Amino acid sequence: MTKIEIPPDHPRRVSLETREAIIEGHESHIVATAGLLAHGRGEAFDYLIGERTTELAATAARAAVAALLSAKHPVISVNGNACSLVPEALVELSEICGAPLEINLFYYMKEREDAIKAALFAAGAKEVLGTKDRPSTIIPELSSNRRKVDPDGIGSADVILVPLEDGDRTEALKAIGKFVITIDLNPMSRTAVYSDITVVDNIVRVLPLMVELAREMKDFPKDTLHEIVKNFDNTENLDNSVRIIMDHLAASAIDISERRRKFETGVRDQ
Ligand code: PTJ
């Protein structure tokens, strides 16, 4: 399939480029077909939060990084969507936080595992856990493909970053006592609600920010990191994230006549 040329001045350039990355990821077997739909759902929520990193998301990202840096054995779980969108940032965050990358797929296919592994190595990874050639252990609370985890990764982790995750798995990880961090644009999803820290932002924007934060915070004393995590309140974070969506919707409704007026005078918007 030919890649489309997106004009640099296109008002929705970033969103279209991100779509292209997901489509390419699908063509190279990194992204599951259902991953295209999951991306569409994410786009809709991104629109509702205003396609920006809110202050709330930045605070949650900081708490997430503090949790990864202060963990005994942190792990970053990688699925097809995350790998296609931010492979380099995943590798960088993994290195700075000493958190191995583990491939863990809902729609498992050997060719997908191989494609994701190759993409992570191409992005600079030195080691990737969770592959077929490695030992595996079972999360008994889970029946999907994701029940198989790497004993050196998720199996023995205390803190796990599971971006763009499905609710059953988050529930199972919580049931076996893991501290779960997620990145999810939908603050009402089961994963968002069950997690200990939910970063309500697009992984494309926030994972590079988390890399920056990790660089800044990596030498913080453990006590300071623990304090940042302890002071983070996910219920408040999620309530306020939903409120941001409601406020944004209310403001958009008021803004419609102004946008129509601008359109009629030839001004383009997003
Ligand atoms: O690669 P696999 O086989 O492991 O499958 C990956 C998907 C994403 C298909 C699988 O985990 C899945 O079905 O996930 P869900 O249940 O659709 O949940 C994905 C969540 O991520 C939804 O709440 C979306 O709103 C959200 N999301 C989608 N794109 C983004 C996102 N959140 C942050 N950034 C995004 N770019």
Side-chain angles (χ1 to χ4, degrees), residues 163-198:
L164 286 60
E165 187 54 83
D166 86 292
D168 286 356
R169 178 124 175 290
T170 310
E171 193 174 0
L173 292 173
K174 284 304 301 164
I176 56 170
K178 309 289 184 187
F179 187 94
V180 177
I181 304 167
T182 195
I183 299 169
D184 193 329
L185 278 159
N186 177 2
M188 292 162 282
S189 77
R190 288 186 304 145
T191 291
V193 173
Y194 301 157
S195 293
D196 297 282
I197 299 177
T198 304

Side-chain angles (χ1 to χ4, degrees), residues 207-266:
L207 213 70
L209 171 67
M210 286 170 69
V211 170
E212 242 177 74
L213 288 168
R215 277 205 195 97
E216 252 171 67
M217 295 162 66
K218 69 178 174 12
D219 298 321
F220 279 17
K222 287 263 179 241
D223 284 356
T224 311
L225 296 171
H226 287 307
E227 201 58 20
I228 295 171
V229 178
K230 207 178 89 199
N231 290 337
F232 181 79
D233 180 341
N234 210 24
T235 306
E236 198 182 18
N237 170 48
L238 293 171
D239 280 352
N240 288 332
S241 299
V242 173
R243 223 150 268 138
I244 284 177
I245 291 177
M246 294 194 297
D247 291 349
H248 188 73
L249 277 172
S252 300
I254 294 164
D255 197 32
I256 282 174
S257 61
E258 175 63 8
R259 288 176 65 195
R260 285 180 63 85
R261 195 192 58 73
K262 278 191 184 157
F263 176 68
E264 280 154 17
T265 55

Side-chain angles (χ1 to χ4, degrees), residues 18 22 30-46 78-82 85 104-109 112 116 146 163-167 182-187 189-192 199-206:
T18 309
I22 281 283
I30 291 173
V31 174
T33 303
L36 299 173
L37 305 173
H39 183 75
R41 183 188 296 173
E43 275 190 349
F45 276 99
D46 204 11
V78 180
N79 66 16
N81 287 50
L85 293 177
N104 196 270
L105 303 179
F106 189 74
Y107 299 98
Y108 182 83
M109 280 164 71
R112 292 194 58 221
I116 292 170
R146 280 178 163 161
L164 286 60
E165 187 54 83
D166 86 292
T182 195
I183 299 169
D184 193 329
L185 278 159
N186 177 2
S189 77
R190 288 186 304 145
T191 291
V199 185
V200 182
D201 199 356
N202 197 323
I203 194 169
V204 169
R205 286 189 298 269
V206 88

Side-chain angles (χ1 to χ4, degrees), residues 101-163:
L101 298 169
E102 174 164 345
I103 300 175
N104 196 270
L105 303 179
F106 189 74
Y107 299 98
Y108 182 83
M109 280 164 71
K110 177 76 170 70
E111 64 176 351
R112 292 194 58 221
E113 176 188 303
D114 292 344
I116 292 170
K117 186 175 163 185
L120 291 174
F121 278 116
K126 295 185 186 71
E127 188 190 30
V128 175
L129 304 181
T131 51
K132 270 274 182 266
D133 53 344
R134 292 200 37 95
S136 71
T137 180
I138 297 284
I139 301 180
E141 282 76 2
L142 201 53
S143 55
S144 77
N145 275 323
R146 280 178 163 161
R147 72 201 307 246
K148 285 196 188 139
V149 296
D150 197 308
D152 295 331
I154 292 170
S156 51
D158 52 347
V159 174
I160 310 173
L161 170 61
V162 283

